[in-house]
Amino acid sequence: FSGAYGPSSRLSLAGTHAPSRLPQEGQRTCILVDSREIASGSEVISFLRATHGFQVEVCPLNGCDYIVSNRMVVERRSQSEMLNSIHKNKFIDQIQYLQSMFERICVIVEKDREKTGDTSRMLKRTKSYDNLLTSLVAAGIRILFSSCQEETADLLKELSLVEQRKNVGIRVPTVVTNTGYEALKFYLSIPNVSCVTALNLCHRFPSVKKMTNSSPQEISMYAQVTPQKAEEIYRYMHYVFDMQMLPNGPNQSREKSDA
Amino acid sequence: MEKNPPDRTGPVHVPFGHIVANEKWRGSPLTQGMQGKIKVIFEAGLTPVDFYLSSRSCILYITEADLVAGNSYRKRLVVVRNSGNLKGIVVVEKTQMSEQYFPAMQKFTVLNLGMVLLPVASHMEASSLIVQLVQEQTKEPSKNPFLRKKPALISEPSLLRTVQQIPGIGKIKAPLLLQTFPSIQQLSNASIQELEPVVGQAVAQQIHAFFTQSR
């Protein structure tokens, strides 16, 4: 973990004792962008930044392409990847991973950039593609179609504005202090907790101890998560550790599993 | 007991594995493409709906001509959207001709109305997509990879990882701490005096500071 999460003196939260920071009126809309998107979606990021009044934070999001609100993640996929059944299982794994953390998911299917002199190559619609689409629809996952990176940026903007109107916009700073950084890493290690939830936990609880002693209702309110997710976090905090349950014996626990 | 309440437009009864189509699609390439794969039942007076997948879910078909002609299709979408428990899926002909109107249409349908939108390039594509939608409805939800419940993970390895995020705690001290204070909540409430016998004075202070300091 580095980048925007990293220790920074720009914003000192020491001394902020209030359990929740009051959302400021008219605060800029914030979108979190995964650092991997710099390589594949640089134009998306530039267009988002160019859109007036948008705060775009590029940080490591562990495979979540865009986080547009406290509950919504957006997965950006090229159409050719969706059409080719070779990538199907990988795509399914990715969506299931996102489902474990987010209440709402949106997939933006983006048309591939046409290479010069390659206009003859028409992508044929496949059964596997239709099958993916209908499975996504049945599971309540939103799908949007984009013809280029500029349009993707516009759709992301619209999505985050809709979420903002529903009062679930990202309202915490994405920069944390040194001690905040330690707490953030701690919160990120809770299973199925997204980066934005970890940030909310970090900024809205005055201390880690306060968080670990909170009721599910308090966790739900401060972390901006559903009661179910709050219950899951609560149960994790109170889970009684049993050495016998370790799969590989006590001394072989994996350092860190990256999803 | 009366099964069917007196109603105005629906609910339309759709037998399992069938699709109920608006009379206007009789003989069209769209329904011809479906025949042989699913059973199509034609019914008159279904407007504004084009197809019923079930009594609660329907398809609104927006042709290339509808899209190019202007925003009149919007009224139909709104009627379905406002009709209580009917879930509308909008299938739109996105062709070279209608492409330029698609973005505005998508914003209205998906972002404003919150309905599902699926673009197709031709009648052929539309009929295979609709067949797929019918098949999706008839299969068991557990067959859908996005509806499958994932088995609960064992928490112990995660707990070790979480405890290792506390400054001063590595692979060795994490299990020692969890054996004495078996939950994160208990560990967070441990005093320096209680922590000292397990990890020593300096680390005990670090742990205590980590949990209690304000941020």
Side-chain angles (χ1 to χ4, degrees):
Chain A
F1 303 105
S2 60
Y5 283 152
S8 162
S9 54
R10 194 168 71 155
L11 215 145
S12 171
L13 284 167
T16 310
H17 288 275
S20 87
R21 322 185 83 241
L22 286 174
Q24 291 161 335
E25 207 59 53
Q27 200 173 10
R28 288 207 297 161
T29 314
C30 177
I31 292 185
L32 304 184
V33 180
D34 191 20
S35 23
R36 291 180 324 166
E37 285 289 299
I38 295 174
S40 63
S42 59
E43 282 178 45
V44 179
I45 300 174
S46 320
F47 281 115
L48 276 174
R49 286 221 166 105
T51 311
H52 179 68
F54 256 74
Q55 186 194 344
V56 181
E57 294 286 350
V58 181
C59 37
L61 299 180
N62 288 329
C64 308
D65 293 347
Y66 300 89
I67 300 180
V68 295
S69 74
N70 285 325
R71 59 177 187 184
M72 187 188 258
V73 68
V74 179
E75 173 78 6
R76 172 174 162 258
R77 282 277 153 160
S78 75
Q79 195 176 28
S80 62
E81 258 185 293
M82 296 280 288
L83 285 164
N84 196 333
S85 59
I86 292 174
H87 304 295
K88 193 173 177 181
N89 285 336
K90 234 175 109 187
F91 176 75
I92 291 171
D93 287 346
Q94 171 66 7
I95 297 297
Q96 286 176 339
Y97 166 66
L98 297 178
Q99 281 180 313
S100 70
M101 295 185 289
F102 289 91
E103 202 187 327
R104 296 200 181 192
I105 300 166
C106 179
V107 178
I108 297 185
V109 182
E110 190 181 283
K111 215 168 144 190
D112 298 68
R113 207 190 295 257
E114 270 167 34
K115 294 178 191 97
T116 37
D118 199 19
T119 43
S120 59
R121 202 176 111 249
M122 278 287 281
L123 291 165
K124 208 176 169 307
R125 197 170 174 122
T126 56
K127 197 168 177 202
S128 156
Y129 176 72
D130 280 348
N131 193 7
L132 266 187
L133 290 184
T134 53
S135 297
L136 288 169
V137 167
I141 293 164
R142 282 185 175 206
I143 315 165
L144 290 166
F145 299 86
S146 159
S147 58
C148 59
Q149 295 202 11
E150 183 177 1
E151 201 181 331
T152 301
D154 186 50
L155 290 171
L156 284 166
K157 180 196 87 181
E158 293 290 334
L159 277 173
S160 66
L161 288 178
V162 169
E163 287 290 275
Q164 187 98 334
R165 254 178 272 140
K166 290 179 182 166
N167 233 351
V168 286
I170 301 170
R171 289 223 169 88
V172 290
T174 46
V175 236
V176 289
T177 57
N178 277 313
T179 51
Y181 181 59
E182 286 163 359
L184 186 68
K185 282 204 309 182
F186 177 84
Y187 291 135
L188 279 170
S189 74
I190 302 171
N192 306 334
V193 160
S194 72
C195 302
V196 68
T197 303
L199 274 172
N200 280 325
L201 287 167
C202 211
H203 286 298
R204 290 171 196 255
F205 280 99
S207 70
V208 179
K209 184 175 171 174
K210 192 95 182 132
M211 187 266 148
T212 56
N213 286 295
S214 292
S215 67
Q217 289 76 25
E218 287 167 316
I219 296 174
S220 171
M221 185 162 67
Y222 294 140
Q224 301 278 299
V225 291
T226 60
Q228 292 84 341
K229 178 59 86 182
E231 183 71 38
E232 198 186 323
I233 297 172
Y234 176 86
R235 264 189 273 120
Y236 186 71
M237 290 300 144
H238 291 257
Y239 186 88
V240 174
F241 181 82
D242 179 0
M243 206 58 152
Q244 304 302 314
M245 291 297 286
L246 281 176
N248 308 316
N251 293 323
Q252 289 174 25
S253 56
R254 283 164 299 146
E255 174 74 85
K256 213 178 236 178
S257 83
D258 283 272
Chain B
M1 236 173 65
E2 282 283 317
K3 269 279 180 209
N4 285 333
D7 43 40
R8 295 124 302 209
T9 52
V12 171
H13 174 67
V14 184
F16 189 77
H18 287 56
I19 190 165
V20 173
N22 192 317
E23 181 63 35
K24 74 175 184 194
W25 292 106
R26 193 188 284 276
S28 69
L30 190 59
T31 45
Q32 276 164 4
M34 295 178 207
Q35 268 147 2
K37 290 172 194 129
I38 46 168
K39 293 228 171 69
V40 187
I41 303 165
F42 292 96
E43 245 175 67
L46 293 181
T47 336
V49 171
D50 292 291
F51 301 95
Y52 277 94
L53 295 168
S54 72
S55 55
R56 270 171 294 122
S57 118
C58 67
I59 292 174
L60 290 155
Y61 193 87
I62 310 295
T63 62
E64 181 186 47
D66 289 337
L67 201 53
V68 174
N71 291 337
S72 50
Y73 64 84
R74 294 189 174 193
K75 214 176 276 171
R76 283 171 62 203
L77 304 196
V78 173
V79 167
V80 171
R81 153 69 207 269
N82 291 344
S83 68
N85 55 5
L86 191 58
K87 189 185 164 225
I89 296 172
V90 183
V91 176
V92 60
E93 287 179 4
K94 187 188 178 196
T95 59
Q96 273 188 328
M97 186 107 90
S98 64
E99 211 167 27
Q100 56 175 308
Y101 305 100
F102 179 78
M105 197 257 175
Q106 174 165 259
K107 265 185 202 172
F108 179 75
T109 312
V110 183
L111 298 169
N112 295 3
L113 298 183
M115 292 169 89
V116 175
L117 177 67
L118 298 169
V120 291
S122 63
H123 281 297
M124 273 278 286
E125 282 193 7
S127 52
S128 46
L129 178 66
I130 292 171
V131 168
Q132 198 71 51
L133 280 166
V134 172
Q135 283 166 353
E136 180 66 44
Q137 288 239 322
T138 51
K139 77 183 181 190
E140 276 185 48
S142 62
K143 290 267 164 64
N144 183 331
F146 308 118
L147 289 170
R148 211 175 288 149
K149 276 257 172 223
K150 280 219 269 187
L153 292 164
I154 301 170
S155 294
E156 272 76 5
S158 318
L159 277 174
L160 278 177
R161 226 175 299 137
T162 299
V163 171
Q164 282 173 34
Q165 305 305 315
I166 303 168
I169 307 302
K171 272 187 179 173
I172 310 294
K173 288 191 179 117
L176 290 178
L177 277 172
L178 280 170
Q179 276 171 311
T180 320
F181 312 98
S183 73
I184 306 264
Q185 192 249 353
Q186 286 175 58
L187 178 61
S188 74
N189 291 318
S191 67
I192 298 178
Q193 288 73 32
E194 288 170 307
L195 289 163
E196 254 183 33
V198 189
V199 289
Q201 197 197 348
V203 177
Q205 277 169 356
Q206 264 184 301
I207 297 171
H208 192 260
F210 171 79
F211 281 114
T212 53
Q213 70 195 182
S214 354
R215 298 177 196 280

